[in-house]
Amino acid sequence: MTTVRGTIRSTNTIPADGHGDDQSTARARAVDGLELTGYDVVQTNTLSSTAAGNITVRAVARSTEIQPHEASGPNYGAARAAYLQTIPDGWISLGITVNA
């Protein structure tokens, strides 16, 4: 019997937009608009910018929630397949280890 153990992470993300006359202000306002408890900022993108300085930035934060996950099978291939098939929707595997 082979057991595959690993860690899975939520793929949940939250966005927030910020507006300002310059890039730094717009970015800061976008990040300030995020509820970061349990989340980390992973991306900021400029959505629009005008010559007059009206800039819109979108910040995206990703959940930091992780949990252990495991599955077993008669061999590595079966255990790995069971592990991957039982990952809930909205979660991804961060890595696995094998105990044969």
Side-chain angles (χ1 to χ4, degrees):
M1 182 64 70
T2 301
T3 300
V4 175
R5 292 186 177 93
T7 302
I8 58 176
R9 179 185 48 80
S10 171
T11 60
N12 190 41
T13 61
I14 53 173
D17 292 349
H19 308 281
D21 292 332
D22 60 75
Q23 186 73 25
S24 296
T25 301
R27 182 186 185 285
R29 288 178 178 164
V31 171
D32 288 346
L34 294 168
E35 173 52 54
L36 290 177
T37 303
Y39 287 82
D40 283 333
V41 175
V42 293
Q43 184 175 342
T44 58
N45 293 320
T46 302
L47 298 180
S48 64
S49 178
T50 66
N54 185 14
I55 299 172
T56 302
V57 171
R58 175 165 293 153
V60 178
R62 181 179 61 206
S63 174
T64 59
E65 183 179 2
I66 60 171
Q67 65 183 30
H69 186 68
E70 72 176 53
S72 297
N75 56 44
Y76 170 74
R80 182 179 177 274
Y83 177 91
L84 293 173
Q85 291 170 353
T86 58
I87 295 173
D89 287 341
W91 292 77
I92 61 169
S93 178
L94 297 178
I96 61 173
T97 59
V98 179
N99 295 341

